[in-house]
Amino acid sequence: MTILVFGGNGQVGQELLRALAPLGEVVATTRSGLLPDGRACEIADFNQPDSLVALLDRVQPRTVVNAAAYTAVDKAEQDVEAAFRANAESPGVIARWSAAAGVPFVHYSTDYVFDGEGTAPYREDQPTAPLGVYGTSKRDGEDAVRAAGGRHLIFRTAWVYASHGANFLRTMLRVGAERDALRVVADQVGTPTPAALIADVTAQALQHAGGLSGTWHLTASGQTSWHGFAEAIFAEALARGVLAKVPSVEAIASSEYPTPAKRPSWSVLDNRQLTQDFGIALPAWQDGLKRVIGEIA
């Protein structure tokens, strides 16, 4: 079986290349045609949605997984058309091709489709109300995938990080080694989720005998604030010898750290439907953090 993975150089994409390898021949794409380790791969430009059809026709995958996206949340507020091309138009093109070919299409979405005004974990069937361009473009991408009419697995996730790539954990480790004190937002709550977990669950879902189609929330279990996550990162990094000393971490309000795009204050997703439908136990976010820090150590 040929599995085509869009976005093979991203945090989730790199983990997918590992997790999906036992299922068949994995064909990766990036915009540059190069993977992070320098290997050549297929070129896919999500800034030109219609160009993707020729690639799909040539590769003829039996499963398609889209881990490519426009993820620069603040930049998207000005770069509106590019965000919608990458996050809505391109997934729609791929989903329509997949539906016509009769192959399953996996697509990833985000907690940013919600407004963050909730107080209980968001269920899959709750109304979406994105706050900015990024969230709106991702919601429109979900709608385009569903409208294509084929078998699809949309996984909404949140607060993704890994031992590689650009993410909150790696930023904290870098600045934590440089400074004695940091200020981190404490009034945004969500669930830190390792990219490896997302990839592993994707592989398990694709092997599930039910042939299910729909939308699921895929995060680790539990919740914390960015401030709580930062403190946990530093505690684990110190314990594993990744950092020789750690900074003090002051809790601040989002209003003290203004950004062009408003972030949802509540990003906790209810992942019980995924556990029920696929029989997959989702670990606590603290366990995922220990594994990722262990990789770095």
Side-chain angles (χ1 to χ4, degrees):
M1 179 172 73
T2 300
I3 305 167
L4 183 61
V5 175
F6 288 98
N9 57 338
Q11 293 184 92
V12 175
Q14 290 183 60
E15 296 292 347
L16 283 167
L17 302 187
R18 169 194 56 78
L20 298 177
L23 308 188
E25 179 193 2
V26 180
V27 178
T29 82
T30 65
R31 188 171 182 175
S32 68
L34 290 174
L35 291 168
D37 62 6
R39 286 181 296 151
C41 65
E42 296 285 351
I43 294 174
D45 186 356
F46 273 45
N47 204 38
Q48 300 181 50
D50 292 339
S51 70
L52 303 172
V53 174
L55 170 64
L56 289 156
D57 284 343
R58 179 164 52 79
V59 176
Q60 287 292 313
R62 300 313 301 159
T63 298
V64 181
V65 182
N66 177 34
Y70 187 109
T71 57
V73 175
D74 290 323
K75 189 179 176 187
E77 293 299 308
Q78 303 298 325
D79 205 7
V80 179
E81 291 184 1
F84 276 88
R85 281 194 295 271
N87 291 344
E89 293 177 40
S90 290
V93 167
I94 300 166
R96 289 189 289 275
W97 186 95
S98 300
V103 303
F105 177 44
V106 178
H107 178 67
Y108 301 100
S109 191
T110 172
D111 56 301
Y112 277 64
V113 301
F114 297 110
D115 62 11
E117 297 299 317
T119 55
Y122 284 107
R123 301 185 315 275
E124 289 84 351
D125 59 358
Q126 286 184 249
T128 56
L131 298 174
V133 171
Y134 169 70
T136 304
S137 67
K138 291 297 288 183
R139 183 202 54 196
D140 287 6
E142 289 186 10
D143 291 344
V145 171
R146 296 186 193 104
R151 183 190 170 202
H152 60 273
L153 297 92
I154 298 173
F155 293 121
R156 290 184 185 138
T157 190
W159 293 27
V160 180
Y161 69 99
S163 59
H164 50 81
N167 56 65
F168 182 80
L169 174 138
R170 284 172 54 87
T171 298
M172 287 297 101
L173 292 179
R174 176 175 54 79
V175 298
E178 299 168 351
R179 304 181 194 172
D180 294 324
L182 297 175
R183 304 169 79 239
V184 180
V185 168
D187 57 0
Q188 294 174 23
V189 176
T191 307
T193 301
L197 175 64
I198 298 168
D200 290 341
V201 169
T202 299
Q204 293 176 67
L206 285 171
Q207 295 175 83
H208 191 269
L212 299 174
S213 185
T215 302
W216 292 270
H217 289 168
L218 196 181
T219 65
S221 298
Q223 64 194 59
T224 189
S225 66
W226 288 116
H227 176 266
F229 188 27
E231 291 205 311
I233 289 167
F234 291 133
E236 190 63 26
L238 186 64
R240 298 299 296 267
V242 173
L243 291 176
K245 63 180 182 66
V246 297
S248 62
V249 186
E250 178 188 352
I252 63 169
S254 298
S255 58
E256 297 180 66
Y257 188 75
T259 55
K262 186 180 179 184
R263 268 71 172 164
S265 59
W266 177 260
S267 288
V268 184
L269 303 179
D270 187 329
N271 53 30
R272 290 177 295 179
Q273 194 66 50
L274 185 144
T275 296
Q276 178 180 315
D277 289 348
F278 295 103
I280 297 170
L282 294 164
W285 69 265
Q286 296 93 331
D287 295 337
L289 174 60
K290 289 177 181 177
R291 280 196 293 275
V292 174
I293 293 288
E295 290 174 20
I296 295 170

